Amino acid sequence: MSGDVKGVFEVPVQKLMCSDVKMGSILTEPRPIHRKEMPLFLSLLNEVIERWYEGIGPMNTDIYATYNFHTELLQQIRESYEIIANDDSPSVFRERERLGTLMESFSDMLQSFAEVFVSPEQLKGFYYKILKRVNMTNNIILEGEYGW
């Protein structure tokens, strides 16, 4: 982690993994997200972002430089999923392309969240499991399964 790291901090592992959040387990389930689950999933992703900044920010204040980008990225992803879910016109293909681009940035974000930590592996794995779930979902959107 770059920037000015001050002192020793205890990493709030359970908080970062949203262990105390109702329905938080939906984040890492090993299957694609059903269309009906997407609003809940996206609101939980917002919680993941907020908790990451709350947990890591005090350790390195430079981290806040990307906060607005990350929260706006999630909002754009939310809007893109809504369009894809509700639009039957040919323009939905352009939106799928846009979602693909957004997901590349989202993937980078989750990888950066995970790579801040050397351990525990459980915490690093949490971010990678979310990413895997999102990627599975994007793949099935193209196939029209799980309500997509």
Side-chain angles (χ1 to χ4, degrees):
M1 190 165 37
S2 63
D4 187 21
V5 179
K6 299 175 183 170
V8 175
F9 292 87
E10 185 174 327
V11 176
V13 174
Q14 297 305 313
K15 182 175 181 173
L16 288 170
M17 293 177 58
C18 297
S19 299
D20 61 330
V21 175
K22 184 178 180 180
M23 302 293 292
S25 64
I26 195 175
L27 289 164
T28 57
E29 288 180 4
R31 61 175 179 78
I33 304 157
H34 191 280
R35 179 178 169 177
K36 292 179 182 179
E37 295 173 314
M38 190 54 77
L40 172 61
F41 186 80
L42 291 170
S43 72
L44 291 171
L45 285 179
N46 187 67
E47 188 70 21
V48 167
I49 293 170
E50 293 295 328
R51 286 174 179 235
W52 191 84
Y53 279 97
E54 288 172 12
I56 304 307
M59 297 178 212
N60 181 349
T61 54
D62 292 345
I63 226 81
Y64 289 110
T66 56
Y67 175 79
N68 286 337
F69 174 74
H70 289 156
T71 55
E72 289 171 15
L73 174 63
L74 183 59
Q75 181 58 36
Q76 290 176 9
I77 289 169
R78 177 179 283 115
E79 291 167 1
S80 187
Y81 275 124
E82 287 177 15
I83 291 168
I84 290 168
N86 298 312
D87 188 352
D88 289 338
S89 73
S91 67
V92 77
F93 295 108
R94 282 192 305 271
E95 192 60 38
R96 286 180 178 171
E97 288 178 25
R98 178 175 173 258
L99 180 60
T101 302
L102 293 170
M103 292 314 301
E104 288 175 24
S105 295
F106 186 75
S107 175
D108 292 344
M109 178 193 78
L110 284 176
Q111 289 178 21
S112 73
F113 283 12
E115 291 169 3
V116 164
F117 305 103
V118 175
S119 65
E121 284 298 318
Q122 177 187 19
L123 181 55
K124 290 180 74 156
F126 171 73
Y127 297 107
Y128 289 121
K129 286 178 183 177
I130 294 171
L131 181 57
K132 183 176 181 180
R133 184 143 199 231
V134 169
N135 286 336
M136 282 191 293
T137 302
N138 287 335
N139 290 337
I140 63 104
I141 285 174
L142 296 175
E143 298 169 11
E145 297 176 1
Y146 275 72
W148 294 101

